[in-house]
Structures are given as C-alpha cells and as structure tokens.
Amino acid sequence: MEKHQSQYGTLRWSHGILGIVLMFLLFSIIFSSLVTSQYTFQYMLTHMYPNSNLSTSDGSSCNVNTSTEAYRERTAAQRAVSQLNIYTKVAEAVPALIITGVMGGLGDRFGRTRILIFTTSLTFLSICVSSPIIYFEIDVYYFLISSTLYSLGGGIYGALSIGFAYISDVTSPGKQRTLMITLLEASIGIGAAISGLVSGFIIEGVGYFYSNICAGAVAAGSVLVVVLFLPPSRSPHISVSRKSNLENSRAAFTFYFQASPMRYKYVIGIISFMFASISLLGKQPIEILYQLNAPFCWTSVKVGYFSAISYSVSMILGMSVIKVLQMCFVEEVIAMFSGISGMAAYIVEAFAVNDLTLFVVPVIGFISVLVFPMIRSMLSKLTPADGQGALFAGIAVVEIASSLGANLGASAIYIATVGTMRGFVFLVFAGLSFLTTCLLLVYRITSGMSKTAPLAEVTKDITGTQVVEADVEN
C-alpha cells in the first residue's frame, strides 16, 4: 500500500484551478462554435438566395410544406452548411490525431502545464483568425484555416487528455479518481452551459463579430490562468522515461495490443468508448441545423437556451448524482445506465415535432454523458502510474477519430435525409448508444467471471517493466 501511494501526488485545493482552466476553454470553444455555425447558415442563405426573405425572416416563413420555395431554399442552405461541416471536421481532426498521439508522452516528460499552455494558446489564436472572416464577410470556407490552427494544438480533446492525466498524477486509483474525473467533466459542463445561456443574447445584442471577440477574450483568460495560477501536477524529482515522439505514439496504444491478462478489458473498454463518442460527439452541429430548420426555425436565443439547458442538465445535474450512484453501483453499471438514457433521448429527439418535445430531450438524457468519466476511470484503474499520460493520450486520439467519423457520417446522413426524415440521424445515434450498453454489459459479465482469479496479477507496463496490479476496490 505504501508503494502504491508513493506513485501518486497529493491532491490539493490548488489543483482545482484546472477545472477553471477547462471551464474557460470550453466556454470559448462552444461559444465560438455557436457563433460560427449560425453565421455560416445565415451567410449561405444570403449568398445563395440574395433576393429571398429567408435571410431576414422572423420565422413566419417557417413551415414544413415541401412544395413551397421557402422550404426548398432552407433545405438547400442546410445541405450546403452540412457539406462545409464535413470539411471543417476533417480540418479539426486530422492534425489533432497526430498531435494528441504524442501529447501524453510529452506531458509525462515536460509536465502537464506546459502542454496545456500550448493547447490553450492555439485555441485562442484560432478564434482570433476566425473573427476577421466574420467582420469582412469573407467566404466561410476560410473558416477551415482557423479550424486547422485549432487542431494543431490538439483542440479540446488534447486539453482534456492532459487534464485527465493531470488528475491521475494527484489522485489514487478507485473512487477518488473517478470522482475527480467526474468533477472535471462537470466543470467543463458549467462552461458549456454558460456559453449556451448567454450566446443567444450576445449574438442578438452585438452581432456575430463581437460575439466571437468575446469568445476569444475568454480563451485568452484560460491561457493566463494556466500560466499564473495552475501548479504542476508532479514534483520535479519524479523521474519519467524519455522517449521519442514515435515511441510516445506507440505507447498510447500498447495497452490494447500487448499480451496481458488485462488486455481484453482495455479492448472492450476502448471500443465502448468509441461507440459512445460517435453517438454523443456527432450531434451538436447537426442538432443546431435541426433546430434552425422547419418546423422549429429557432432564433439564436432559443438555440442558446437549449444548449444551456442541455449542458446544465447532463453535465451538471448528471454529474452531481455520481456520488449517489457510486454508493450502489460500480463504474460499468453506471455507464450502462448512461447508455440507456442517451438511447431514449435520441429516440424522442428523432420524432420531435414541437419545441416542448425538444426541450424534454435533455431531461431524458440527463445522465447520458456519465459514460465518458466512467470508462476513463475503468481504464485508468488498470494502468500503472507512469502510463497515465499515454493512456489518456490514446483515449483522446480515439475520441478525435470518433468525433471525425461521427461528424462526417452524421452530416452525410443529414444531407441525404433532411428532405424526407430529418430526424433519422438521431435514430442512428440511438443504435450506437445501444451497442455501447451491450459492450459494457459484456465487460461487466467478464469482470465478474475474473473475480475468481488472484487479487494480484503480474503484468507488463508500456516500458516492458513488470508491475504488480492490485485489484482496486470498486
């Protein structure tokens, strides 16, 4: 037990500043995303149909009569935006896949805070680049430049991978780490909820350009908080292995390919995480288009309200019940409940016909996001202290790849079905949530069967050194 405790730092109140950093970062990213998404739709309407009244419509032309010119124009603009979304997600994901793969190992070597400064700085610069595009009404395809710049810093997934590795440095495996990972996710939920709540009012009050400037100012704040206030997660005397970038990239995925008694748990866990990521991360851009389309035709304020309610209910209320659920259930069972909640929410959203039904969706899926911290904690418990950075870097790469696949697939499905069954894409997401739940059930059953094995198992870590993994209390 003494050896186990010595591998990890001591959790202090100052480490909670990390939550403030990620809250600011998520606020700026979500806010800027809401601004650019709605601006892009407005830009497409204006430039594709300059003589149409849709670009200045107050919603009176919103209807589901497919024979009207207004419906055809709106549908064509939605298809154009969905097409741009595909290119945007590729620009955001491809560089991030490479960068994030080495970030965990670099964080193990140089410290989490230095890598976090790099990530938050690139996010700030990307918002700075997108603002002139809005101000000068440049072709919206130039947003791809800011998307690429954002991706070069690893994006939000790179920042989260460093954040989770930071938490693993200062906590012990088990319930403490699970709780802290969950609280960290809750902090980013607060940032996302606040951005959704205020975005609509700010956009309507000062326009798209100054709204994006506000997002950039908050991103700059996240950089300053890391530089001035966030303490390092490990003492300088703690030694780490010095590896090349290629070795760091390989280390992030060694858990899933190297022969080990725990390998099957890693594989089932990461596949479950992948399906969950596809179902949850691909919905936001499509959801905004869904809300802007008939029969809803929401304004910026209403889109912001929904975003705020959705994040508040799922990321804050959902995360707040984790301590109660932990008293009765282990992580994989809580993750199964999360999958069922998400599946039910998607089904309702697919067949929504009015505003009330849409606003009920976040309530039904209020614990749907718990699947992420639960699976992260499950995998983290299997991993030795010196492999946490590599583990979370690998998870971040899977998350980015899943997000890319989800956005490409969801955009393609929405383009093909928006004129016939606009909610079909949400039924696809519901099916993926079902697959996630089934895989977690398999994980739980196989874990129960392995309880007959000795409590201590000898495995090899990513460096080839033998370590003793004790069965951690659930």
Side-chain angles (χ1 to χ4, degrees), residues 44-208:
M44 290 295 188
L45 278 176
T46 303
H47 286 73
M48 292 174 66
Y49 305 102
N51 298 321
S52 173
N53 65 344
L54 279 177
S55 60
T56 57
S57 174
D58 60 359
S60 59
S61 62
C62 184
N63 61 75
V64 291
N65 187 349
T66 58
S67 63
T68 64
E69 188 65 24
Y71 181 88
R72 286 193 290 269
E73 291 175 358
R74 189 180 295 275
T75 300
Q78 292 245 317
R79 288 196 175 104
V81 176
S82 296
Q83 189 68 45
L84 177 57
N85 281 341
I86 292 176
Y87 301 138
T88 300
K89 295 306 174 183
V90 171
E92 288 180 351
V94 173
L97 284 172
I98 301 171
I99 298 297
T100 307
V102 302
M103 286 179 71
L106 292 176
D108 287 338
R109 179 176 177 179
F110 297 108
R112 316 296 182 198
T113 52
R114 292 182 180 178
I115 306 301
L116 201 54
I117 290 171
F118 172 75
T119 299
T120 52
S121 298
L122 265 292
T123 300
F124 166 66
L125 291 176
S126 71
I127 298 176
C128 290
V129 170
S130 65
S131 296
I133 297 174
I134 298 174
Y135 183 80
F136 294 105
E137 297 185 1
I138 303 172
D139 192 319
V140 290
Y141 274 80
Y142 282 98
F143 279 139
L144 297 176
I145 298 176
S146 64
S147 298
T148 303
L149 189 61
Y150 164 78
S151 181
L152 289 174
I156 182 55
Y157 303 116
L160 287 177
S161 72
I162 294 299
F164 294 129
Y166 184 102
I167 289 298
S168 297
D169 288 341
V170 297
T171 58
S172 300
K175 292 185 177 180
Q176 183 195 40
R177 181 172 299 170
T178 301
L179 180 60
M180 293 309 300
I181 289 177
T182 303
L183 290 176
L184 192 63
E185 298 241 20
S187 71
I188 67 176
I190 294 173
I194 295 174
S195 70
L197 182 63
V198 303
S199 63
F201 294 104
I202 297 177
I203 291 172
E204 288 205 345
V206 301
Y208 296 111

Side-chain angles (χ1 to χ4, degrees), residues 221-259:
S222 69
V223 179
L224 292 176
V225 172
V226 176
V227 172
L228 299 176
F229 303 109
L230 186 65
S233 60
R234 292 184 302 198
S235 301
H237 71 271
I238 297 181
S239 61
V240 294
S241 59
R242 293 177 177 265
K243 303 175 184 178
S244 66
N245 289 340
L246 178 60
E247 289 174 325
N248 286 328
S249 299
R250 292 176 58 187
F253 300 99
T254 304
F255 310 101
Y256 314 106
F257 298 100
Q258 182 173 276

